[in-house]
Amino acid sequence: MTVHLIVAELDGAVINKATKCAVAAAQKIPGTCIGLVMGKSVSGADQDFAHYVDKVVVVESENLAARLADSYAQVIGDVAKELKAAYVWAGATAAGKDCMPRVAARLEAAMASDIQEVVNESTFKRPMWAGDIVGTVELKTPIKVVTVRATEFAPAADNKKGSVEKLSMQVAPSKVQFVSLEAVKSERPSLADASVVISGGRGLKGPEGFKQLIEPLADKLNAAIGASRAVCDANWVPNDWQVGQTGKVVAPKLYIAIGISGAIQHVAGMKKSKTIVAINKDPDAPIFKVADYGLVGDAFTLVPELISKI
């Protein structure tokens, strides 16, 4: 029987959406899905994951307290060998992209990253050149490592009653020293899960533009807030808000781009949104080529009017 090892990424004591989408991708190839949960203490997360996979294995260690790629890659590689896994899956998140290439190197396995479709047991499709083309990748090694683009797969159903087993394993200390985590805390929905995302760009003229226009509109629509790379690089807003090729990839029901020109790097991160609305004073802005609805004009005039009518 083919064994799929799915690496869990945790949001506190629960499995995040990207991991559930990785499970859905793995289920397209017949076999047994085994989830791997790692950390210093994962109480609750293992039981949560058991609703999505056939079995959960747990590795706990002081050396896994911080999510450092070299220690995590060691554990994933060792567990994959012990279980004789044919596939190792993870979400194509920042953590997944950091860790999984190391896992592939340890296992001497071919890797397909950021896939958007499972064609068959060895072939996958993934976006290339900022999504302008879709490449078909064939993996020919006995073990295959795959990261999954969460916007392309619906999360797996929570209809399993998987068993939970703890594994005893030596975990080498990381060569990297963990200093601190500066997490962005917000009562708004996360970019990955929000059904509505409102993003701002350089057309907002500064961080005050986000406070004056983006935040009130987001409050009205219970939306997550995103941004272009330019404004994140300028420190107008947290880097965690960045949408695009080098930021987060989102596909909400509604995406509103305000003051964003629509460079290909940004469009690569949001063009799968169900409905795209663009507000920009430049009628020739590239963002209008991907928008379903476009409004040409000054955002500082149009957005307050929009807010007042909601």
Side-chain angles (χ1 to χ4, degrees):
M1 176 67 75
T2 300
V3 173
H4 300 273
L5 181 65
I6 299 100
V7 180
E9 189 173 333
L10 309 183
D11 286 338
V14 298
I15 306 303
N16 73 1
K17 178 182 175 182
T19 302
K20 298 170 187 175
C21 294
V23 174
Q27 289 174 341
K28 294 185 178 296
I29 300 173
T32 300
C33 290
I34 301 179
L36 171 60
V37 180
M38 299 170 286
K40 179 181 177 181
S41 175
V42 298
S43 178
D46 51 355
Q47 298 297 328
D48 180 46
F49 208 5
H51 293 107
Y52 298 91
V53 293
D54 301 301
K55 180 180 178 180
V56 176
V57 294
V58 178
V59 178
E60 294 181 319
S61 169
E62 285 285 343
N63 291 330
L64 297 174
R67 191 178 180 107
L68 298 174
D70 51 351
S71 294
Y72 273 64
Q74 177 230 312
V75 172
I76 297 167
D78 290 349
V79 172
K81 290 176 183 177
E82 184 171 327
L83 298 178
K84 295 181 171 55
Y87 298 84
V88 183
W89 303 79
T93 61
K97 292 176 182 179
D98 186 28
C99 184
M100 297 307 285
R102 303 167 193 256
V103 174
R106 281 179 168 272
L107 297 173
E108 297 183 343
M111 179 175 178
S113 61
D114 223 29
I115 70 155
Q116 64 181 44
E117 183 183 339
V118 177
V119 179
N120 56 39
E121 289 84 354
S122 60
T123 309
F124 309 88
K125 290 189 176 183
R126 62 180 302 271
M128 298 178 176
W129 293 98
D132 274 357
I133 61 173
V134 176
T136 301
V137 181
E138 183 179 7
L139 307 184
K140 295 185 177 182
T141 51
I143 303 176
K144 299 166 179 61
V145 176
V146 186
T147 60
V148 176
R149 178 171 282 201
T151 56
E152 303 295 336
F153 294 86
D158 59 344
N159 57 3
K160 300 283 187 179
K161 294 182 179 179
S163 60
V164 177
E165 176 186 345
K166 290 197 174 184
L167 296 181
S168 179
M169 186 169 292
Q170 288 291 108
V171 182
S174 174
K175 297 177 182 177
V176 177
Q177 180 184 0
F178 175 76
V179 177
S180 65
L181 172 64
E182 296 181 9
V184 176
K185 296 181 180 180
S186 174
E187 295 181 358
R188 302 184 192 281
S190 70
L191 273 171
D193 300 326
S195 59
V196 180
V197 174
I198 302 170
S199 288
R202 283 181 293 187
L204 295 176
K205 301 179 181 178
E208 300 79 14
F210 276 81
K211 293 185 180 298
Q212 182 181 342
L213 304 181
I214 303 297
E215 291 184 13
L217 184 57
D219 290 340
K220 288 279 190 180
L221 297 174
N222 189 32
I225 296 179
S228 65
R229 177 173 179 171
V231 302
C232 291
D233 288 349
N235 293 320
W236 293 2
V237 297
N239 284 322
D240 192 58
W241 289 7
Q242 184 184 329
V243 173
Q245 186 179 12
T246 54
K248 289 184 169 66
V249 177
V250 299
K253 293 180 180 178
L254 173 62
Y255 187 90
I256 303 177
I258 301 174
I260 294 177
S261 63
I264 188 173
Q265 290 84 357
H266 181 80
V267 170
M270 46 66 75
K271 67 180 181 181
K272 291 287 186 176
S273 303
K274 306 302 181 288
T275 301
I276 300 171
V277 176
I279 300 175
N280 199 295
K281 66 181 180 181
D282 179 5
D284 297 320
I287 192 70
F288 289 123
K289 294 180 180 178
V290 297
D292 298 290
Y293 300 94
L295 192 56
V296 177
D298 185 351
F300 287 87
T301 300
L302 297 175
V303 175
E305 184 179 351
L306 176 62
I307 292 170
S308 71
K309 292 184 181 296
I310 295 177

